[in-house]
Amino acid sequence: MDCVVELAGVTAGYDSKVAIEDINLCIKDRSFTGIIGPNGSGKTTLLRVITGSLTPFRGTVKVFGHPPVRVRNRIGYVPQFFNDDPYIPFSAIEVVLFGLYPHIGMIRRPGGKDVERARQALDTVGLLDKEKEPFGHLSGGQKRRVMIARALAGDPDILILDEPSSGLDVKSIRIILDLLHKLNTERNIIIILVTHNINQIASYLDTVVYMRKRIYVAGNPKEVLSKEVLSELYGAPVDVFERNGNICVLVEDSHA
Ligand code: ADP
Ligand code: MG
């Protein structure tokens, strides 16, 4: 099987409003894909189609050769928004355990084996020492890592993350992106993420997808993140620097 995730002619949206149109995409085994594009360009909608939580108007979606809902337990999803109310009455490990419910089923209570899986997932994200801490008391970066642990607890083959680093400080972003890189290279987990932090992550990505309702370009970071391609996409002069293998994209402020 060449594509682990394959979309062909996918158009999807809400009510009758089209949010993504004629999407063709092939995501390969072991790859790390970054999806970029302006707000409202359909990035979250694309992820929802891949996870099977939204059915397209047209086209086909296959994950490991099946409709996504059939392989839900092989997909881990970290949503962009989650309840981070400081008074949320759950500890970090309880939040991770909720991620196991689709695997446990609603009837059975989580058992010792489930708790062990949840603890292992917290250990993977470096937060085992916070297992009993109220979720709401954790820092923004730690909450995101707990949400990643929650997705990892079900032992997914694909991890899909919606802006996992948005709103975080540089150090927390680094911790999360390094963690994802490790999961990809050491555990061979296929990673698909939406991000605005393209500069910090470009060197880890196999593929960058730029979308604005449609996919405008998809290719390796060197191709997509070139001065020519980006200047065209942004409609403003863009400079791209490379230093120690890191790519840095600088969009000139046209109002300056
Ligand atoms: P992005 O993640 O790139 O910001 P989205 O996929 O969230 O974009 O949204 C794409 C378009 O679909 C936007 O025009 C947005 O307003 C619309 N949209 C998103 N979610 C819903 C929803 N639940 N109901 C109706 N319209 C929605
Ligand atoms: Mg979004």
Side-chain angles (χ1 to χ4, degrees), residues 68-191:
V69 284
R70 294 247 324 262
V71 289
R72 264 208 171 136
N73 61 353
R74 297 181 68 182
I75 306 173
Y77 185 53
V78 181
Q80 181 179 3
F81 302 109
F82 48 84
N83 187 349
D84 64 351
D85 187 327
Y87 301 106
I88 180 173
F90 300 111
S91 63
I93 191 141
E94 284 170 323
V95 170
V96 176
L97 275 167
F98 289 140
L100 280 172
Y101 273 94
H103 299 265
I104 300 169
M106 293 310 275
I107 302 158
R108 189 161 77 73
R109 301 266 310 151
K113 234 174 81 191
D114 304 312
V115 173
E116 202 37 54
R117 279 166 89 178
R119 295 188 80 233
Q120 262 173 25
L122 273 179
D123 195 28
T124 300
V125 303
L127 289 176
L128 188 54
D129 59 328
K130 299 275 192 258
E131 64 174 321
K132 298 214 164 70
E133 195 92 0
F135 181 73
H137 291 189
L138 300 175
S139 73
Q142 290 169 338
K143 282 181 190 146
R144 298 293 173 91
R145 278 148 70 197
V146 169
M147 294 305 286
I148 294 172
R150 183 183 196 263
L152 286 175
D155 199 17
D157 296 310
I158 305 183
L159 189 59
I160 298 179
L161 309 100
D162 201 350
E163 303 199 22
S165 53
S166 71
L168 301 180
D169 60 87
V170 179
K171 196 175 157 210
S172 306
I173 293 174
R174 188 78 272 154
I175 291 172
I176 287 180
L177 299 182
D178 286 348
L179 166 67
L180 297 178
H181 178 60
K182 215 169 136 187
L183 292 170
N184 178 241
T185 53
E186 293 178 10
R187 296 210 192 167
N188 295 325
I189 298 179
I190 300 147
I191 299 189

Side-chain angles (χ1 to χ4, degrees), residues 14 17 19 38-45 48:
Y14 307 91
K17 195 175 153 256
N39 289 333
S41 60
K43 304 179 297 297
T44 298
T45 304
R48 294 191 59 206

